[in-house]
Amino acid sequence: MQTLKLIIRGDFYDSQIYAGHLYLWTGKGSIITVDWEKLIDKLNIPDTLKFAAHCAFLESDNLYNKAYKQMFKDAEILALIKKRFADLAVNPLVFTVEQLERSGLIIGEQKNPFPFPHADTTVYKSNIYVGSRSGITKASRSKNDTNPIRSYADKLSDLPALSIAAAFDNLAVSAGDEGLYSFGLHRPKEQTAITEPKQLEKAHSNQVRWMFGSIFSSSYFNSGFLADYKFERDDAKPDKKERTLLAIRPANELINNQMPNERPNQAATFSWGVQDKLCYSENQTIKVVQYDPYKEPYKNWVSHERFRNIGIITSEQLGDSIVRADSALFGYIVEGDDGLLVISSLPGENGLQEESQWLEGEPVNWRVFPNSDYYTNQLHVIYDDYLCIHSFNQDYFVDQVTKKAGISHITRVPHYSKKASVVEASSLFD
Amino acid sequence: MVQEEHIVQGVRYIHKSDHRDGTNEKSQWIIGRENERLCFEQSQLFIDEKEGKTRWGLHFEDKQIANLGKSKSESPPVRLLFIGKFVNDKQNDYWHGYPADFEENNQDIPPEEVTGYWREQHYLSKAKISKISGGRKCRL
């Protein structure tokens, strides 16, 4: 598994990428906004590699396009595309903040308006949300060139926020020992008061992610659980986004039901869920269950088709101590005490075991962007004195229906209100 | 409960016995009482409307941050802890402290002002500060 690397040297704490802008939280209390699109366009590389660079760093969705799928059936074209990515990977692209500044690629550096050091950040509908011990704050992106982010952040809630994730006009919040919360971001004009966060479950929550319109909570102190929602579709009102909470489903019960011969311990080493994949890690394995919220729930929920066992991934590099984990199209990322394990969606040479890669060194922060339109293949890892942006470009060539590692591309954007997409997502298990 | 009292920097400081006697539901100091008081002496004060006065301290051995306690035994596995939290009992006008378990308890995550200071002083790396701020697993 060959990855492309773009490195920016500097003292960073966190990063986000959104709509052509790269945001860098610095250790000295500022936020630098980089013109990412311009940076990639201006890369000093041969013209033959420009297309690969564009797909790798600017438009990850490009090569999932149906037209390309047809082209990849031509072995010569496929080999050429793979060669371009391989050629681009030979030399990492390395910059310093000063170089970017001199090249006019820094849109602005401004005082960080958020609490700092924070716990987590996310960008949703042009707003930047920051979660920390002291609560949740928001600032919008601005068209002002001096301050690309509004210089004052609004406090939305005092709720401690260890992990945040936004979708469906809601912010899901892991509030540690206060449990899992959901927080409405859409405020009707006539309503002036800020919506109060709603507790979905009181059990401990360390990390939160969306599985379509449902929410998965990870914890060190329980096996993890899914707040399983049902979509209320109304074809007459395609924009209607009604979700109804069906149940809180503990991950160990779910895994136990799907894999009766592989009874899990009471608590996993760590479990997590993103879009269609629920992962349960213990004893150097990851048990993977696929989730399809479009299937109707039955009364006996554990046996219905919303959940399906799709297998077990084994890796000797999976340690007993998992700090956190996440899923992307290109695979799973698992943080140990002193490095990251990336398990690729690409099956290994024997066709059975997924390839994996160990990224040595304790990261300051890392994140993937599975819900973005253009950056789904990126893994940002911040170390003490640089940011490394890894670009994974193997997943375009992987069967999205049968893959065990990584979320499926066809289910990535939950356009549940559009009939055609519902059909596509529902056909996952056919 | 036996409480040993000292005067530290002009204030009353009490060593609470339940953080030393193996009580299941309490985190336990693994450093001596003298080092506990030293940790308090060198701690950072934080004043908050909701939480009142708290102090947050680290324990050093050979100029390196070292573990000072272990998590409560009622929620295994027991983990080593390296932050001391000190609270003020306004009613009786004394301070006491305990090893803070930021993985399990929100109130044991130090305020941003304190973690920011530790970062500036290079007491802890950015990676450790990030983990502490997010209530994530963090080993020295």
Side-chain angles (χ1 to χ4, degrees), chain A residues 11-13 116-119 132-134 162 175-178 204 206 220-221 322 324 335 337 362-365 384, chain B residues 50-51 56 79 103-107 109-112 115-116 119 126-131 133-137 139:
Chain A
D11 171 19
F12 307 123
Y13 181 81
F116 186 79
H118 57 249
S132 70
R133 175 203 196 267
S134 59
L162 308 186
D177 59 1
E178 294 184 40
H204 193 280
N206 276 105
Y220 304 138
F221 301 98
I322 294 179
R324 58 179 167 140
E335 181 181 356
D337 286 332
E362 185 181 19
V364 174
N365 246 314
D384 217 33
Chain B
K50 256 196 331 192
E51 296 171 58
W56 301 82
R79 290 160 284 112
E103 282 178 35
E104 188 162 5
N105 307 310
N106 294 345
Q107 83 264 14
I109 299 174
E112 289 95 10
T115 47
R119 155 84 188 120
K126 273 190 294 181
K128 305 287 186 211
I129 293 292
S130 169
K131 285 175 173 172
S133 302
R136 297 196 289 272
K137 278 183 187 173
R139 307 283 171 262

Side-chain angles (χ1 to χ4, degrees), chain B:
Chain B
M1 197 189 301
V2 183
Q3 315 274 26
E4 193 184 314
E5 186 176 320
H6 293 262
I7 299 294
V8 182
Q9 292 182 332
V11 298
R12 291 167 68 210
Y13 185 82
I14 283 176
H15 292 286
K16 283 219 165 185
S17 57
D18 54 0
H19 284 290
R20 287 191 172 275
D21 63 5
T23 300
N24 273 347
E25 64 271 23
K26 301 279 183 182
S27 63
Q28 301 290 309
W29 293 103
I30 57 169
I31 54 172
R33 287 178 172 78
E34 200 173 322
N35 278 326
E36 178 187 328
R37 293 196 302 277
L38 189 63
C39 181
F40 173 68
E41 259 185 75
Q42 296 172 345
S43 61
Q44 276 69 53
L45 176 66
F46 178 71
I47 302 171
D48 180 80
E49 267 180 37
K50 256 196 331 192
E51 296 171 58
K53 284 182 189 174
T54 51
R55 297 183 72 110
W56 301 82
L58 299 165
H59 168 64
F60 294 83
E61 283 175 13
D62 298 327
K63 295 183 181 172
Q64 299 285 316
I65 307 276
N67 293 308
L68 50 67
K70 56 185 181 181
S71 61
K72 60 189 180 190
S73 53
E74 72 172 8
S75 47
V78 172
R79 290 160 284 112
L80 290 168
L81 307 174
F82 59 87
I83 294 174
K85 181 179 178 182
F86 302 93
V87 292
N88 178 236
D89 183 323
K90 265 196 264 180
Q91 212 173 358
N92 300 304
D93 189 30
Y94 70 81
W95 288 82
H96 78 276
Y98 60 89
D101 186 354
F102 55 81
E103 282 178 35
E104 188 162 5
N105 307 310
N106 294 345
Q107 83 264 14
D108 285 357
I109 299 174
E112 289 95 10
E113 289 80 350
V114 173
T115 47
Y117 175 78
W118 288 344
R119 155 84 188 120
E120 282 163 21
Q121 297 300 310
H122 301 286
Y123 290 158
L124 290 162
S125 68
K126 273 190 294 181
K128 305 287 186 211
I129 293 292
S130 169
K131 285 175 173 172
I132 295 166
S133 302
R136 297 196 289 272
K137 278 183 187 173
C138 184
R139 307 283 171 262
L140 289 179

Side-chain angles (χ1 to χ4, degrees), chain A residues 69-284:
Chain A
K69 292 275 177 236
Q70 293 305 317
M71 280 171 66
F72 295 155
K73 288 178 182 168
D74 181 331
E76 283 181 35
I77 294 177
L78 181 62
L80 182 65
I81 292 281
K82 285 183 175 177
K83 183 179 182 309
R84 294 293 187 245
F85 282 118
D87 289 347
L88 193 59
V90 171
N91 298 310
L93 305 156
V94 185
F95 304 92
T96 62
V97 171
E98 292 71 28
Q99 282 174 324
L100 298 180
E101 179 83 64
R102 279 198 302 273
S103 307
L105 296 167
I106 296 208
I107 297 170
E109 178 168 7
Q110 63 185 99
K111 189 171 178 280
N112 180 359
F114 301 104
F116 186 79
H118 57 249
D120 198 9
T121 61
T122 192
V123 189
Y124 182 69
K125 293 191 175 176
S126 271
N127 290 307
I128 297 174
Y129 297 88
V130 170
S132 70
R133 175 203 196 267
S134 59
I136 304 159
T137 44
K138 176 190 102 168
S140 53
R141 298 167 74 234
S142 152
K143 286 177 182 163
N144 179 338
D145 280 351
T146 321
N147 284 334
I149 300 167
R150 222 182 64 183
S151 55
Y152 180 78
D154 296 318
K155 181 93 172 259
L156 301 183
S157 170
D158 287 334
L159 182 72
L162 308 186
S163 170
I164 55 175
F168 291 87
D169 288 326
N170 272 267
L171 190 70
V173 181
S174 279
D177 59 1
E178 294 184 40
L180 173 68
Y181 282 78
S182 177
F183 185 24
L185 297 175
H186 178 69
R187 197 187 336 161
K189 277 179 188 164
E190 64 274 16
Q191 190 181 323
T192 50
I194 292 169
T195 318
E196 280 297 309
K198 183 183 167 192
Q199 190 182 49
L200 301 178
E201 170 60 38
K202 62 183 181 186
H204 193 280
S205 179
N206 276 105
Q207 177 183 293
V208 69
R209 291 291 179 265
W210 288 82
M211 297 185 78
F212 302 98
S214 299
I215 300 168
F216 192 88
S217 165
S218 309
S219 173
Y220 304 138
F221 301 98
N222 54 59
S223 76
F225 54 87
L226 175 71
D228 189 13
Y229 281 81
K230 181 186 178 185
F231 300 128
E232 301 290 343
R233 289 202 296 268
D234 185 347
D235 291 341
K237 297 176 187 170
D239 291 334
K240 198 177 172 189
K241 296 179 179 180
E242 290 297 323
R243 294 158 57 240
T244 309
L245 181 60
L246 291 170
I248 299 293
R249 309 196 190 283
N252 56 343
E253 286 181 22
L254 212 154
I255 293 288
N256 189 31
N257 191 269
Q258 293 298 316
M259 303 184 181
N261 299 325
E262 302 281 345
R263 294 186 73 85
N265 294 334
Q266 184 57 34
T269 306
F270 199 77
S271 68
W272 70 99
V274 180
Q275 302 298 34
D276 71 319
K277 297 287 175 9
L278 191 157
C279 300
Y280 192 97
S281 177
E282 59 171 359
N283 302 332
Q284 297 185 321

Side-chain angles (χ1 to χ4, degrees), chain A residues 380-411:
Chain A
H380 291 197
V381 191
I382 294 175
Y383 297 101
D384 217 33
D385 53 1
Y386 67 97
L387 158 71
C388 183
I389 296 177
H390 298 262
S391 170
F392 294 84
N393 297 283
Q394 87 287 353
D395 190 60
Y396 315 124
F397 320 114
V398 173
D399 182 338
Q400 296 298 311
V401 175
T402 58
K403 75 198 260 194
K404 253 193 304 192
I407 59 175
S408 301
H409 180 264
I410 54 170
T411 65

